Each structure stands twice: as structure tokens, then as C-alpha cells.
Amino acid sequence: IKCSVVESIGDEVRNLKEGDFIIPTYIGECEECENCVSGKTNVCLTHPVRLTGLMPDNSSRLSIKGQKLYHVLSCATWSEYVVVDVNYLTKVDPNINLAYASFISCGFSTGYGASWKEAKIETGSTVAVFGLGAVGLGAISGAKMMGASKIIGIDKNEKKKEIGEAFGMTHFINPSGSDKSPSELVKELCGMGVDYCIECTGVPTLLTQSVEATKVGIGKTIAVGIGAEP
Ligand SMILES: [Zn+2]
């Protein structure tokens, strides 16, 4: 589950009821702490990322054959049923398709928010997005919403061209078929580079490429991807 239906609620839960459609999130939002009211971040100080795998009262509500299981990142979204602190749930429109909505929680909204809230892309600007998974497609969708004039997607999977275009991508680069670097290919389309480059793969060499694909001085590179390599 990443989008699900409320089966029952605790005694003190006021803003959700049985049957509501919800999406669990890693980070809550109290709307009152210094970080929440800043408007600069979603890293709430009251309901932070919980790395212990336990509920806020340090208990676990999950078990299998008598053995304790852990609530991964407050969500435990690989289980059929889960107990979640209400502060880590977001209510969604019940008309939404649950299968599609499952992409909103972690992947899509991360990229969308990078274009919208972090880059604050201006109308008419140029954008390049490295990596066209759910995060990258979200970044493309956010760039389109913000009115970018040119949205370049970079991915070595040719199938991502059609998918990217469906989300608003205007140009596609598959660097695997070229002896030029991805940043050189971006500059062939955008001269001095793009106004905003959003890196969604976490591959160290591509983080360097995304900086080089960005306009010197006035451009902005947003590093979203987290890589396995140091
Ligand atoms: Zn907060």
C-alpha cells in the first residue's frame, strides 16, 4: 500500500474517518513549528522522519508469528494492514485511482516539488531533468505547470521518450547513443545551458553533468537523487 483506505481510527483522531482515502508520508506536517511556518521545507520538527521503525510511543504494532516487525519510515507500506500515526497521513480525493495515487506519496511529489517549491521555475525558462522515473516525470510535470518553455528529459531508456512527452517534456536526450556527454547534448539545445537542471538519478557522474548542463552564474542545479555510491 502507498495509497489506501482507512479501516478504523483511534479515539482522538478528528480529521479522518473510516473509508477515507489516504496516502502515508515519511514526514508529517504540524503547520506550527519553525520549519513548517518557514514555507522553505517539509522537514517538520514535530513529526520528523522516524528511523527507529517504531510508533511515536516507541511501540511496534506489527508482528509475524510472534516476532516483532518494524514500521519502516512510519509507513510500513509493504504490508496489507498497518497502524500509522495520523500525523503521517494525507487525505486524498476518493475519486482518485488507487494504483495511480500510489506514485504520489514518495516519487512523483518529490520531483514535482523540486520544480515548484525548490527551483521556483519562472515562466519561459529552460529546464533539464536527469532520470525519467517517477521522480523525474514529476519534475517535468512541475516544470510544465510553472510555464517552462523548454523541458529536456535525459534518460538512456528510449522508452522514456514517449512517457516523458506525455508529462510535458519537449525534448529528449538518450546519451547512450552519442559520443558526447549529456551536458554537451543539453548545450546543443540550449546554448549556454539550462536555467534549471534537476538531477533525479543520484549517480555521481551525472550530478557533475547536471551542474555542467546549467547556465554559469544565473542557473540553478537541484540535486534530488540519492546515490548508492559515495
Ligand atoms: Zn512542523
Side-chain angles (χ1 to χ4, degrees), residues 126-208:
T126 54
V127 178
V129 177
F130 280 71
L132 303 184
V135 178
L137 293 172
I140 284 174
S141 190
K144 183 185 179 189
M145 183 273 292
M146 297 295 275
S149 62
K150 193 176 277 186
I151 305 172
I152 304 164
I154 300 116
D155 201 295
K156 59 184 179 182
N157 181 349
E158 194 66 28
K159 290 177 184 169
K160 296 297 175 72
K161 180 176 187 293
E162 189 179 346
I163 299 168
E165 285 170 350
F167 281 81
M169 181 182 75
T170 60
H171 297 74
F172 179 67
I173 291 173
N174 182 345
S176 59
S178 173
D179 54 5
K180 293 175 183 168
S181 70
S183 62
E184 287 172 330
L185 294 168
V186 168
K187 285 177 175 174
E188 283 184 0
L189 293 170
C190 282
M192 301 297 284
V194 288
D195 296 306
Y196 297 96
C197 192
I198 301 172
E199 207 298 307
C200 303
T201 71
V203 177
T205 53
L206 293 183
L207 184 54
T208 304

Coordinates of all heavy atoms in Angstrom, one line a residue, residues 126-208:
T126 N 14.3 27.6 -19.2 CA 14.6 26.3 -19.8 C 15.0 25.3 -18.6 O 15.6 25.7 -17.6 CB 15.8 26.4 -20.7 OG1 16.9 27.1 -20.1 CG2 15.4 27.2 -22.0
V127 N 14.6 24.0 -18.8 CA 14.8 23.1 -17.7 C 15.3 21.8 -18.3 O 14.9 21.3 -19.4 CB 13.4 22.8 -17.0 CG1 13.6 21.7 -15.9 CG2 12.8 24.1 -16.4
A128 N 16.2 21.1 -17.6 CA 16.7 19.8 -18.0 C 16.5 18.9 -16.8 O 16.7 19.3 -15.6 CB 18.2 19.8 -18.4
V129 N 16.0 17.7 -17.0 CA 15.8 16.7 -15.9 C 16.5 15.4 -16.2 O 16.4 14.8 -17.3 CB 14.2 16.4 -15.8 CG1 14.0 15.3 -14.7 CG2 13.5 17.6 -15.5
F130 N 17.4 15.0 -15.3 CA 18.2 13.8 -15.5 C 17.5 12.7 -14.8 O 17.2 12.7 -13.6 CB 19.6 14.0 -14.9 CG 20.6 14.7 -15.7 CD1 20.5 16.1 -15.9 CD2 21.7 14.0 -16.3 CE1 21.4 16.7 -16.7 CE2 22.6 14.7 -17.1 CZ 22.4 16.1 -17.3
G131 N 17.1 11.6 -15.5 CA 16.5 10.4 -15.0 C 15.0 10.6 -15.0 O 14.4 11.4 -14.3
L132 N 14.3 9.7 -15.8 CA 12.9 9.9 -16.0 C 12.1 8.7 -15.4 O 11.2 8.1 -16.0 CB 12.5 10.0 -17.5 CG 13.2 11.2 -18.2 CD1 12.8 11.2 -19.7 CD2 13.0 12.5 -17.5
G133 N 12.4 8.5 -14.1 CA 11.5 7.6 -13.3 C 10.3 8.5 -12.8 O 10.1 9.5 -13.3
A134 N 9.7 8.0 -11.7 CA 8.5 8.7 -11.2 C 9.0 10.1 -10.7 O 8.2 11.1 -10.9 CB 7.9 7.9 -10.0
V135 N 10.2 10.2 -10.1 CA 10.7 11.5 -9.6 C 10.9 12.5 -10.8 O 10.4 13.6 -10.7 CB 11.9 11.3 -8.8 CG1 12.5 12.7 -8.3 CG2 11.7 10.4 -7.6
G136 N 11.6 12.0 -11.8 CA 11.9 12.8 -12.9 C 10.7 13.3 -13.7 O 10.5 14.4 -14.1
L137 N 9.7 12.3 -13.8 CA 8.5 12.7 -14.5 C 7.7 13.7 -13.7 O 7.0 14.6 -14.2 CB 7.6 11.4 -14.7 CG 8.2 10.4 -15.7 CD1 7.4 9.1 -15.7 CD2 8.3 11.0 -17.1
G138 N 7.8 13.6 -12.4 CA 7.2 14.6 -11.5 C 7.8 16.0 -11.7 O 7.1 17.0 -11.8
A139 N 9.2 16.0 -11.9 CA 9.9 17.3 -12.1 C 9.5 17.9 -13.4 O 9.3 19.1 -13.5 CB 11.4 17.0 -12.1
I140 N 9.3 17.0 -14.4 CA 8.8 17.5 -15.8 C 7.4 18.1 -15.6 O 7.2 19.2 -16.1 CB 8.9 16.3 -16.8 CG1 10.3 16.1 -17.2 CG2 8.0 16.7 -18.0 CD1 10.4 14.9 -18.1
S141 N 6.6 17.4 -14.9 CA 5.2 17.9 -14.8 C 5.2 19.2 -14.0 O 4.4 20.1 -14.4 CB 4.4 16.8 -14.0 OG 3.0 17.1 -14.0
G142 N 6.0 19.3 -13.0 CA 6.1 20.6 -12.2 C 6.6 21.7 -13.1 O 6.2 22.8 -13.0
A143 N 7.6 21.4 -13.9 CA 8.2 22.4 -14.8 C 7.2 22.9 -15.8 O 7.1 24.1 -16.1 CB 9.4 21.9 -15.6
K144 N 6.4 22.0 -16.3 CA 5.3 22.4 -17.2 C 4.3 23.3 -16.5 O 3.9 24.3 -17.1 CB 4.6 21.1 -17.8 CG 3.5 21.4 -18.8 CD 2.8 20.2 -19.3 CE 1.7 20.6 -20.3 NZ 0.8 19.4 -20.6
M145 N 3.9 22.9 -15.3 CA 2.9 23.7 -14.6 C 3.4 25.1 -14.3 O 2.7 26.1 -14.3 CB 2.7 23.0 -13.2 CG 1.6 23.6 -12.3 SD 2.3 24.8 -11.2 CE 3.3 23.9 -10.1
M146 N 4.8 25.2 -14.1 CA 5.4 26.5 -13.8 C 5.6 27.4 -15.1 O 6.0 28.5 -15.0 CB 6.7 26.4 -13.1 CG 6.6 25.7 -11.7 SD 5.6 26.7 -10.5 CE 6.9 27.7 -9.9
G147 N 5.3 26.8 -16.3 CA 5.4 27.5 -17.5 C 6.8 27.5 -18.2 O 7.1 28.4 -19.0
A148 N 7.6 26.5 -17.9 CA 8.9 26.4 -18.6 C 8.7 26.3 -20.1 O 7.7 25.7 -20.6 CB 9.6 25.2 -18.1
S149 N 9.6 27.0 -20.9 CA 9.4 27.0 -22.4 C 10.0 25.7 -23.0 O 9.6 25.3 -24.1 CB 10.0 28.2 -22.9 OG 11.4 28.3 -22.7
K150 N 11.1 25.3 -22.4 CA 11.8 24.1 -23.0 C 12.1 23.1 -21.8 O 12.7 23.5 -20.8 CB 13.1 24.6 -23.6 CG 13.8 23.5 -24.5 CD 15.0 24.1 -25.2 CE 14.6 24.9 -26.5 NZ 15.8 25.3 -27.2
I151 N 11.6 21.9 -21.9 CA 11.8 20.9 -20.9 C 12.5 19.7 -21.5 O 11.9 19.0 -22.3 CB 10.5 20.5 -20.2 CG1 9.7 21.7 -19.7 CG2 10.7 19.5 -19.1 CD1 8.3 21.4 -19.2
I152 N 13.8 19.5 -21.2 CA 14.6 18.5 -21.7 C 14.7 17.3 -20.8 O 15.1 17.5 -19.6 CB 16.0 19.0 -22.1 CG1 16.0 20.2 -23.0 CG2 16.9 17.9 -22.7 CD1 17.2 21.0 -23.0
G153 N 14.4 16.1 -21.2 CA 14.5 14.9 -20.4 C 15.7 14.1 -20.9 O 15.9 14.0 -22.1
I154 N 16.5 13.6 -19.9 CA 17.7 12.8 -20.2 C 17.5 11.4 -19.6 O 17.4 11.3 -18.4 CB 19.0 13.5 -19.7 CG1 19.1 14.9 -20.4 CG2 20.2 12.6 -20.1 CD1 19.1 16.0 -19.4
D155 N 17.6 10.4 -20.4 CA 17.5 9.0 -19.9 C 18.0 8.1 -20.9 O 17.9 8.3 -22.1 CB 16.0 8.7 -19.6 CG 15.9 7.5 -18.6 OD1 16.3 6.4 -18.9 OD2 15.4 7.7 -17.5
K156 N 18.7 7.0 -20.5 CA 19.3 6.1 -21.5 C 18.3 5.0 -21.9 O 18.6 4.2 -22.8 CB 20.6 5.4 -21.0 CG 20.4 4.6 -19.7 CD 21.8 4.2 -19.3 CE 21.7 3.4 -18.0 NZ 23.0 2.9 -17.5
N157 N 17.1 5.1 -21.3 CA 16.0 4.1 -21.7 C 15.1 4.9 -22.8 O 14.4 5.8 -22.5 CB 15.2 3.8 -20.5 CG 14.0 2.8 -20.9 OD1 13.7 2.6 -22.0 ND2 13.4 2.2 -19.8
E158 N 15.2 4.4 -24.0 CA 14.5 5.0 -25.1 C 13.0 5.1 -24.9 O 12.3 6.0 -25.4 CB 14.8 4.3 -26.4 CG 14.5 5.1 -27.7 CD 15.3 6.3 -27.9 OE1 16.4 6.4 -27.4 OE2 14.7 7.3 -28.6
K159 N 12.5 4.1 -24.1 CA 11.0 4.1 -23.9 C 10.5 5.3 -23.1 O 9.3 5.6 -23.1 CB 10.6 2.8 -23.1 CG 10.8 1.5 -23.9 CD 10.5 0.3 -23.1 CE 10.7 -1.0 -23.9 NZ 10.6 -2.2 -23.0
K160 N 11.5 6.0 -22.4 CA 11.1 7.1 -21.6 C 10.7 8.3 -22.4 O 10.2 9.3 -21.9 CB 12.2 7.5 -20.6 CG 12.5 6.4 -19.6 CD 11.3 6.1 -18.7 CE 11.4 5.0 -17.7 NZ 12.3 5.2 -16.6
K161 N 11.1 8.3 -23.7 CA 10.7 9.5 -24.6 C 9.2 9.7 -24.7 O 8.8 10.8 -24.4 CB 11.3 9.2 -26.0 CG 11.0 10.4 -27.0 CD 11.7 10.1 -28.3 CE 11.6 11.3 -29.3 NZ 10.2 11.6 -29.7
E162 N 8.5 8.6 -25.0 CA 7.1 8.8 -25.1 C 6.4 9.1 -23.8 O 5.5 10.0 -23.7 CB 6.5 7.4 -25.7 CG 5.0 7.5 -26.1 CD 4.5 6.2 -26.6 OE1 5.4 5.3 -27.0 OE2 3.3 6.1 -26.7
I163 N 6.9 8.5 -22.7 CA 6.3 8.7 -21.4 C 6.6 10.2 -21.0 O 5.7 10.9 -20.5 CB 6.9 7.7 -20.3 CG1 6.6 6.3 -20.7 CG2 6.4 8.0 -18.9 CD1 7.3 5.2 -20.0
G164 N 7.8 10.6 -21.2 CA 8.2 12.0 -20.8 C 7.4 13.0 -21.5 O 6.9 14.0 -21.0
E165 N 7.2 12.8 -22.8 CA 6.3 13.7 -23.6 C 4.9 13.8 -23.1 O 4.3 14.8 -23.1 CB 6.4 13.3 -25.1 CG 7.7 13.6 -25.8 CD 7.9 13.0 -27.2 OE1 7.0 12.1 -27.5 OE2 8.8 13.3 -27.8
A166 N 4.4 12.7 -22.6 CA 3.1 12.7 -22.1 C 2.9 13.6 -20.8 O 1.9 14.1 -20.5 CB 2.6 11.2 -21.7
F167 N 4.1 13.8 -20.1 CA 4.1 14.6 -18.9 C 4.5 16.1 -19.2 O 4.5 16.9 -18.3 CB 5.0 14.0 -17.9 CG 4.4 12.9 -17.1 CD1 4.4 11.6 -17.7 CD2 3.8 13.1 -15.9 CE1 3.9 10.5 -17.0 CE2 3.3 12.0 -15.2 CZ 3.3 10.7 -15.7
G168 N 4.9 16.4 -20.5 CA 5.2 17.8 -20.8 C 6.6 18.0 -21.3 O 7.0 19.1 -21.6
M169 N 7.4 16.9 -21.4 CA 8.8 17.1 -21.9 C 8.7 17.5 -23.4 O 7.9 17.0 -24.1 CB 9.5 15.7 -21.8 CG 10.9 15.7 -22.3 SD 11.6 14.0 -22.1 CE 10.8 13.2 -23.5
T170 N 9.6 18.5 -23.7 CA 9.6 19.0 -25.1 C 10.7 18.4 -25.9 O 10.7 18.3 -27.1 CB 9.7 20.5 -25.1 OG1 10.9 20.9 -24.5 CG2 8.5 21.2 -24.4
H171 N 11.8 18.0 -25.3 CA 13.0 17.4 -26.0 C 13.5 16.2 -25.2 O 13.5 16.3 -23.9 CB 14.1 18.5 -26.1 CG 13.7 19.7 -26.9 ND1 12.9 20.6 -26.4 CD2 14.1 20.0 -28.2 CE1 12.8 21.6 -27.4 NE2 13.5 21.2 -28.5
F172 N 14.0 15.2 -25.9 CA 14.5 14.0 -25.2 C 16.0 13.8 -25.7 O 16.3 13.9 -26.8 CB 13.7 12.8 -25.6 CG 14.1 11.5 -25.0 CD1 14.1 11.3 -23.6 CD2 14.6 10.5 -25.8 CE1 14.5 10.1 -23.0 CE2 15.1 9.3 -25.2 CZ 15.0 9.1 -23.8
I173 N 16.8 13.5 -24.7 CA 18.2 13.1 -25.0 C 18.5 11.7 -24.4 O 18.2 11.4 -23.3 CB 19.2 14.1 -24.3 CG1 19.1 15.5 -25.0 CG2 20.6 13.6 -24.4 CD1 19.9 16.5 -24.3
N174 N 18.9 10.8 -25.3 CA 19.4 9.5 -24.9 C 20.9 9.5 -25.1 O 21.4 9.3 -26.2 CB 18.7 8.4 -25.7 CG 19.2 7.0 -25.3 OD1 20.1 6.9 -24.5 ND2 18.4 6.0 -25.7
P175 N 21.7 9.7 -24.0 CA 23.1 9.9 -24.2 C 23.8 8.6 -24.6 O 25.0 8.7 -25.0 CB 23.6 10.4 -22.8 CG 22.5 9.9 -21.9 CD 21.2 9.8 -22.6
S176 N 23.2 7.5 -24.4 CA 23.9 6.2 -24.7 C 24.2 6.0 -26.2 O 25.1 5.3 -26.6 CB 23.1 5.0 -24.2 OG 21.8 5.0 -24.7
G177 N 23.5 6.8 -27.0 CA 23.7 6.6 -28.5 C 24.7 7.7 -29.0 O 24.8 7.9 -30.2
S178 N 25.4 8.4 -28.1 CA 26.2 9.5 -28.5 C 27.6 9.5 -27.9 O 27.8 8.9 -26.8 CB 25.6 10.9 -28.1 OG 26.4 11.9 -28.4
D179 N 28.6 10.0 -28.6 CA 30.0 10.1 -28.0 C 30.2 11.4 -27.3 O 31.2 11.7 -26.8 CB 31.1 9.8 -29.1 CG 30.9 10.8 -30.2 OD1 30.0 11.7 -30.2 OD2 31.7 10.6 -31.2
K180 N 29.1 12.2 -27.2 CA 29.2 13.5 -26.5 C 28.6 13.2 -25.1 O 27.8 12.3 -24.9 CB 28.4 14.5 -27.2 CG 29.0 15.0 -28.5 CD 28.1 15.9 -29.2 CE 28.7 16.3 -30.6 NZ 27.8 17.0 -31.5
S181 N 29.0 14.1 -24.1 CA 28.5 14.0 -22.8 C 27.0 14.5 -22.7 O 26.6 15.3 -23.6 CB 29.3 14.7 -21.8 OG 29.2 16.1 -22.0
P182 N 26.2 14.1 -21.7 CA 24.9 14.6 -21.6 C 24.8 16.2 -21.5 O 24.0 16.8 -22.1 CB 24.4 14.0 -20.3 CG 25.2 12.7 -20.1 CD 26.5 13.0 -20.7
S183 N 25.8 16.8 -20.8 CA 25.8 18.2 -20.7 C 26.1 18.9 -22.1 O 25.5 19.9 -22.4 CB 26.8 18.7 -19.7 OG 28.1 18.4 -20.0
E184 N 26.9 18.3 -22.9 CA 27.2 18.8 -24.2 C 25.9 18.7 -25.1 O 25.6 19.6 -25.8 CB 28.4 18.0 -24.9 CG 29.7 18.4 -24.3 CD 30.8 17.4 -24.8 OE1 30.5 16.3 -25.1 OE2 32.0 17.9 -24.9
L185 N 25.2 17.6 -24.9 CA 24.0 17.4 -25.7 C 22.9 18.4 -25.2 O 22.1 18.9 -26.1 CB 23.5 16.0 -25.5 CG 24.4 14.9 -26.1 CD1 24.0 13.5 -25.7 CD2 24.4 15.0 -27.7
V186 N 22.9 18.7 -23.9 CA 21.9 19.8 -23.4 C 22.3 21.1 -24.0 O 21.4 21.9 -24.5 CB 21.9 19.8 -21.9 CG1 21.2 21.1 -21.4 CG2 21.3 18.6 -21.3
K187 N 23.6 21.4 -24.1 CA 24.0 22.7 -24.6 C 23.8 22.9 -26.1 O 23.7 24.0 -26.6 CB 25.5 23.0 -24.2 CG 25.6 23.3 -22.7 CD 27.1 23.5 -22.3 CE 27.2 23.9 -20.9 NZ 28.5 24.0 -20.4
E188 N 23.7 21.7 -26.8 CA 23.4 21.8 -28.2 C 21.9 22.3 -28.4 O 21.6 22.9 -29.4 CB 23.5 20.4 -28.9 CG 25.0 20.1 -29.2 CD 25.1 18.7 -29.9 OE1 24.1 18.1 -30.2 OE2 26.2 18.3 -30.2
L189 N 21.1 22.1 -27.4 CA 19.7 22.5 -27.4 C 19.5 23.9 -26.8 O 18.6 24.6 -27.1 CB 18.8 21.5 -26.7 CG 18.7 20.1 -27.4 CD1 17.9 19.2 -26.4 CD2 17.9 20.2 -28.7
C190 N 20.4 24.2 -25.8 CA 20.2 25.4 -25.0 C 21.4 26.4 -24.9 O 21.5 27.1 -24.0 CB 19.8 25.0 -23.6 SG 18.1 24.6 -23.5
G191 N 22.3 26.3 -25.9 CA 23.4 27.3 -25.9 C 24.3 27.2 -24.6 O 25.1 26.3 -24.5
M192 N 24.1 28.1 -23.7 CA 25.0 28.2 -22.5 C 24.5 27.2 -21.4 O 25.1 27.2 -20.3 CB 25.0 29.6 -22.0 CG 25.5 30.6 -23.0 SD 27.3 30.3 -23.4 CE 28.1 30.9 -21.9
G193 N 23.5 26.4 -21.7 CA 23.0 25.6 -20.7 C 21.6 26.0 -20.3 O 21.0 26.9 -20.8
V194 N 21.0 25.2 -19.3 CA 19.6 25.5 -18.9 C 19.5 26.4 -17.7 O 20.5 26.5 -16.9 CB 18.8 24.2 -18.6 CG1 18.5 23.4 -19.9 CG2 19.6 23.3 -17.6
D195 N 18.4 27.0 -17.5 CA 18.2 27.8 -16.3 C 18.1 27.0 -15.1 O 18.6 27.3 -14.0 CB 16.9 28.7 -16.4 CG 17.0 29.6 -17.6 OD1 17.9 30.4 -17.6 OD2 16.1 29.6 -18.5
Y196 N 17.4 25.8 -15.2 CA 17.3 24.9 -14.1 C 17.6 23.5 -14.5 O 17.0 23.0 -15.5 CB 15.8 25.0 -13.5 CG 15.5 26.3 -13.0 CD1 14.8 27.2 -13.8 CD2 15.9 26.7 -11.7 CE1 14.5 28.5 -13.3 CE2 15.6 28.0 -11.2 CZ 14.9 28.9 -12.0 OH 14.6 30.1 -11.6
C197 N 18.4 22.8 -13.7 CA 18.7 21.4 -14.0 C 18.4 20.6 -12.8 O 18.8 20.9 -11.7 CB 20.2 21.2 -14.4 SG 20.5 19.6 -15.1
I198 N 17.5 19.6 -13.0 CA 17.1 18.8 -11.8 C 17.6 17.4 -12.0 O 17.2 16.6 -12.9 CB 15.5 18.8 -11.7 CG1 15.1 20.3 -11.6 CG2 15.0 18.0 -10.5 CD1 13.6 20.5 -11.7
E199 N 18.5 17.0 -11.1 CA 19.2 15.7 -11.1 C 18.4 14.6 -10.3 O 18.3 14.8 -9.1 CB 20.6 15.8 -10.6 CG 21.6 14.8 -11.2 CD 21.2 13.4 -10.9 OE1 21.1 13.0 -9.7 OE2 21.1 12.6 -11.9
C200 N 17.8 13.6 -10.9 CA 17.0 12.7 -10.2 C 17.5 11.3 -10.2 O 16.8 10.3 -9.8 CB 15.6 12.7 -10.8 SG 14.8 14.3 -10.9
T201 N 18.8 11.1 -10.5 CA 19.4 9.7 -10.5 C 20.2 9.4 -9.3 O 20.3 8.2 -8.9 CB 20.2 9.4 -11.8 OG1 21.4 10.2 -11.7 CG2 19.5 9.9 -13.1
G202 N 21.0 10.4 -8.8 CA 21.9 10.1 -7.7 C 23.2 9.5 -8.2 O 24.1 9.2 -7.3
V203 N 23.4 9.4 -9.5 CA 24.7 8.9 -10.0 C 25.7 10.0 -9.9 O 25.5 11.1 -10.5 CB 24.5 8.3 -11.4 CG1 25.9 7.9 -12.0 CG2 23.5 7.2 -11.5
P204 N 26.8 9.8 -9.2 CA 27.8 10.9 -9.0 C 28.2 11.6 -10.3 O 28.3 12.8 -10.4 CB 29.0 10.2 -8.3 CG 28.4 9.1 -7.6 CD 27.2 8.6 -8.5
T205 N 28.5 10.8 -11.4 CA 29.0 11.4 -12.6 C 27.9 12.3 -13.3 O 28.2 13.3 -13.9 CB 29.4 10.4 -13.7 OG1 28.3 9.4 -13.8 CG2 30.7 9.6 -13.2
L206 N 26.6 11.9 -13.0 CA 25.5 12.7 -13.6 C 25.2 13.9 -12.8 O 24.7 14.9 -13.3 CB 24.3 11.8 -13.7 CG 24.4 10.7 -14.8 CD1 23.1 9.9 -14.9 CD2 24.8 11.2 -16.1
L207 N 25.6 13.9 -11.5 CA 25.5 15.1 -10.7 C 26.4 16.2 -11.3 O 26.1 17.3 -11.4 CB 25.8 14.8 -9.2 CG 25.6 16.0 -8.3 CD1 24.2 16.6 -8.4 CD2 25.8 15.6 -6.8
T208 N 27.7 15.7 -11.6 CA 28.6 16.6 -12.2 C 28.1 17.1 -13.6 O 28.1 18.3 -13.9 CB 30.0 15.9 -12.5 OG1 30.4 15.4 -11.2 CG2 31.0 16.8 -13.0

